[in-house]
Amino acid sequence: LSALGQTAVLVAVDGRVEGVIGVADTLRPEAAEAVQRLQGLGVEVAMLTGDNRRTAEAVAKQAKLSRSFNETRFVLSFLYLVKIRAKA
């Protein structure tokens, strides 16, 4: 499921696991085009996400991103942004 950009969720009935489903955020239809336009302007575009590596790679591929940082926590995401801003 993670290779499809989905997170696995166990389904239980009466305390017993009965199955697994995949859930995912949906990219907006214009996301990949927006990324490409920004890249065309020389903007480095990256994705910061708390998702696991495989899920993050699948979503980054859909959005046509060349860089993604996965399994990040809020504080770590904030530090990435501070570092990027310092370079600007």
Side-chain angles (χ1 to χ4, degrees):
L1 293 174
S2 60
L4 300 173
Q6 299 177 2
T7 299
V9 177
L10 297 176
V11 177
V13 176
D14 296 326
R16 184 177 148 173
V17 175
E18 295 292 337
V20 178
I21 60 171
V23 295
D25 292 327
T26 304
L27 286 179
R28 292 176 60 161
E30 65 275 11
E33 181 183 347
V35 167
Q36 289 180 319
R37 284 185 175 193
L38 288 167
Q39 290 171 334
L41 295 171
V43 176
E44 181 180 353
V45 183
M47 177 179 68
L48 301 171
T49 179
D51 287 331
N52 67 59
R53 180 187 56 79
R54 290 187 69 193
T55 299
E57 287 174 354
V59 173
K61 183 177 179 180
Q62 290 173 22
K64 302 203 183 318
L65 289 165
S66 57
R67 294 185 69 189
S68 66
F69 300 92
N70 54 67
E71 298 180 9
T72 60
R73 302 288 183 251
F74 175 77
V75 172
L76 186 55
S77 296
F78 177 75
L79 293 175
Y80 278 126
L81 295 175
V82 169
K83 182 178 177 182
I84 290 167
R85 180 125 180 153
K87 288 183 180 181

